[in-house]
Amino acid sequence: MQKRMLVTAMSLLMAAAPTMALTLKEAIANAENIDPLVQSAIANTDANQAGIQVARSKLLPLVQGVGSYGRTNQTSNQVDAQAGIYSQKYVNSTPNSQVYLKQALFHAADWAGLNISELQTEYSLFRLAGVYSDLWLRVSSAWLELIAAQEIFSIQTDSENSMRLVSDQAQRAYDAGVGTKDSALEAKAQLAFSKSNAVEARLNLAAKQKSFEILTGIDVETLIKNKWRFANKYRALQGNSKQFIEKVNTTSPEILSVKMAEEIRRLQLKQAKMGNYPTVDFFASYQQTQNYNINQIGLGVISSQAAVQVTIPFYSGGLYEGQERQAAAYLQAASADIKASELKLTTGVHTYWANQEAQIDRAVAVQEMVASGQEVVKAYRLSVSAGLKSWSDVGNAEVILTKRRVDQVNAITTLLKAQAQLLAYLPVTDESWNFWINTVAVESKRATQP
């Protein structure tokens, strides 16, 4: 039931996405259907839920019926003083039947086992939630990297086209005797550099498209038709790092799963201590048999029995003592795992929170540098006709502007990936995930509108 509620909640979140061609949520939904880790976690959850039924069966009545039908072949041979007597008889036996009942009255270890099975199901649900969070992080990161690759490819292509014009202008100026040879050669070298950057960007884009296709199952042709761009709007996640850490400690699937693992280990230790407890069972049986003795053919026997059995273990070869020591060590390890997970998540939140703040400042600064670089390129182009600048100066300004535009894309990508890393500490049913994904999708949609 809880697994169904988890999947239903995620479906509602997916349905809340704004409609546009291939949104991030649509990519996540596709990935959920094919991701082997998700399928494995769901199967493990189903297996643990079935384990509850298995554990409960040990405490419920056991009723068995046994029936048989046979044929008796008996040969008799008697020797006396006068003559031997030989006889052989075949007798068809009547059906024999038995009904057997066993009910556990006191099995402390089995009761603990039932509680453990129930907690293991809860544990598997937390693990499933963690797998979903990890998948959303992987898809979000791949999606952001794909957008960045598309933007950088577009930037490098624009740069190549601009440098081609600059190189042509520099060569014409040299041919006309108003330019210098070194300026023409410099512009040609800058064009070759821009071409190599464009080729690298195209190869990188193809690699990102392929990775995204494998992760989400969305074909490359669909990806090529969708052109995304980052909007120049940057915001931090709601709250502050302290508030986010408190939220992580109370809702993180990883934290909840290791705490549940500790509780399971604690019950397993309790169960191990109960291993040498006496057990009490109630037995009852009803049996109807046919005597097969040839001398008593047709003699039927009906018997019934009811009893209470008490089993007291005296010596097990150290089995229960070893199980208790083993369970105690597992419990100690589980307690250490909680501290390690809390430390890892706290450190991660501080790191990625500081990273997002730093990248916001960097993105804003680079955006201003891009704007100034664009003005420089315009000014240099006007200065060429006045003889104040050469075409190689324009080319250098274009190279600087291209680098700044790429830095801007990388800064936005790093910012959003840091935020996705922070959100991955939370379950995907948390509203922060929904708000962030919708915000990224809307900004991308606005950026692609004419």
Side-chain angles (χ1 to χ4, degrees):
M1 177 63 69
Q2 290 179 332
K3 182 186 73 172
R4 192 179 298 112
M5 292 174 61
L6 176 64
V7 176
T8 301
M10 288 187 294
S11 298
L12 292 175
L13 285 178
M14 303 299 293
T19 57
M20 62 173 290
L22 194 59
T23 64
L24 175 54
K25 281 195 172 181
E26 290 170 339
I28 291 174
N30 283 1
E32 287 179 351
N33 292 328
I34 65 173
D35 187 70
L37 295 178
V38 170
Q39 304 306 318
S40 173
I42 291 175
N44 285 328
T45 301
D46 293 338
N48 284 321
Q49 288 177 337
I52 296 177
Q53 184 177 0
V54 174
R56 186 183 293 115
S57 67
K58 299 178 181 179
L59 302 171
L60 295 177
L62 170 65
V63 181
Q64 292 179 329
V66 180
S68 65
Y69 186 90
R71 177 181 176 86
T72 300
N73 180 9
Q74 181 170 334
T75 302
S76 63
N77 189 9
Q78 181 180 354
V79 179
D80 55 17
Q82 296 182 357
I85 300 175
Y86 173 83
S87 65
Q88 186 175 24
K89 299 180 179 181
Y90 298 91
V91 180
N92 290 328
S93 64
T94 60
N96 300 325
S97 58
Q98 179 185 21
V99 177
Y100 172 82
L101 168 67
K102 176 184 177 182
Q103 172 62 60
L105 299 180
F106 180 77
H107 279 242
D110 288 339
W111 275 107
L114 176 59
N115 294 332
I116 290 172
S117 296
E118 292 172 344
L119 291 183
Q120 285 176 334
T121 300
E122 295 293 324
Y123 172 80
S124 65
L125 287 172
F126 290 135
R127 295 290 298 172
L128 176 61
V131 170
Y132 273 113
S133 295
D134 177 70
L135 176 63
W136 284 35
L137 169 62
R138 287 186 285 125
V139 176
S140 298
S141 297
W143 195 71
L144 295 171
E145 290 175 357
L146 180 57
I147 296 177
Q150 288 183 166
E151 284 219 54
I152 291 175
F153 175 67
S154 177
I155 291 171
Q156 296 294 359
T157 302
D158 291 343
S159 176
E160 179 184 0
N161 294 333
S162 297
M163 293 306 301
R164 182 174 288 104
L165 293 176
V166 170
S167 179
D168 291 343
Q169 292 289 351
Q171 186 63 44
R172 290 172 185 170
Y174 174 67
D175 294 340
V178 295
T180 61
K181 182 177 181 180
D182 60 329
S183 179
L185 292 175
E186 177 67 16
K188 186 178 294 185
Q190 290 168 343
L191 173 59
F193 180 71
S194 297
K195 286 182 178 179
S196 66
N197 287 339
V199 171
E200 181 181 4
R202 183 175 67 253
L203 295 175
N204 182 61
L205 174 58
K208 298 302 181 183
Q209 288 175 337
K210 190 62 179 178
S211 298
F212 194 79
E213 179 186 18
I214 294 174
L215 182 59
T216 63
I218 300 172
D219 60 274
V220 174
E221 292 300 324
T222 302
L223 299 177
I224 293 175
K225 294 177 183 178
N226 288 270
K227 300 295 184 181
W228 298 290
R229 290 181 63 86
F230 289 125
N232 297 329
K233 294 182 179 181
Y234 327 108
R235 60 173 65 88
L237 296 180
Q238 295 178 343
N240 53 50
S241 60
K242 182 178 179 181
Q243 294 172 335
F244 198 84
I245 288 174
E246 293 176 354
K247 191 174 187 179
V248 167
N249 287 332
T250 56
T251 64
S252 169
E254 180 177 348
I255 291 294
L256 295 178
S257 64
V258 294
K259 288 183 177 179
M260 184 60 67
E262 182 192 39
E263 186 62 26
I264 291 173
R265 294 303 188 186
R266 184 174 287 108
L267 272 180
Q268 287 176 338
L269 175 58
K270 182 179 179 181
Q271 183 186 41
K273 292 179 179 179
M274 295 175 176
N276 56 0
Y277 281 19
T279 59
V280 181
D281 297 283
F282 171 76
F283 293 93
S285 66
Y286 175 86
Q287 184 175 10
Q288 180 178 356
T289 62
Q290 177 71 32
N291 198 316
Y292 291 166
N293 190 305
I294 199 66
N295 297 318
Q296 297 177 334
I297 295 175
L299 175 63
V301 178
I302 297 176
S303 62
S304 59
Q305 178 185 10
V308 175
Q309 174 180 292
V310 179
T311 304
I312 302 175
F314 290 116
Y315 178 71
S316 62
L319 171 64
Y320 302 121
E321 293 79 2
Q323 288 178 339
E324 184 175 344
R325 290 197 303 272
Q326 185 184 57
Y330 281 140
L331 176 59
Q332 184 178 3
S335 300
D337 288 340
I338 293 178
K339 295 180 181 179
S341 295
E342 290 176 342
L343 179 60
K344 184 187 74 172
L345 266 62
T346 300
T347 303
V349 170
H350 282 302
T351 299
Y352 290 117
W353 199 275
N355 193 5
Q356 76 157 342
E357 293 179 342
Q359 293 303 322
I360 289 175
D361 292 339
R362 177 177 176 80
V364 172
V366 175
Q367 182 179 349
E368 295 176 354
M369 295 175 65
V370 168
S372 65
Q374 291 172 337
E375 294 300 323
V376 169
V377 170
K378 292 179 182 179
Y380 278 23
R381 287 181 178 275
L382 294 175
S383 300
V384 170
S385 58
L388 300 176
K389 296 292 182 181
S390 66
W391 283 109
S392 63
D393 294 328
V394 176
N396 288 330
E398 288 278 4
V399 171
I400 294 175
L401 175 59
T402 299
K403 184 178 182 306
R404 291 178 179 181
R405 292 179 65 190
V406 172
D407 287 345
Q408 182 184 20
V409 172
N410 289 332
I412 298 174
T413 306
T414 304
L415 163 63
L416 295 176
K417 288 178 66 175
Q419 292 178 340
Q421 289 281 354
L422 289 169
L423 292 171
Y425 296 136
L426 304 176
V428 296
T429 52
D430 191 279
E431 182 60 27
S432 299
W433 264 113
N434 191 42
F435 178 79
W436 181 80
I437 291 179
N438 284 343
T439 300
V440 172
V442 169
E443 290 182 351
S444 300
K445 180 181 178 182
R446 289 174 181 169
T448 57
Q449 289 178 341

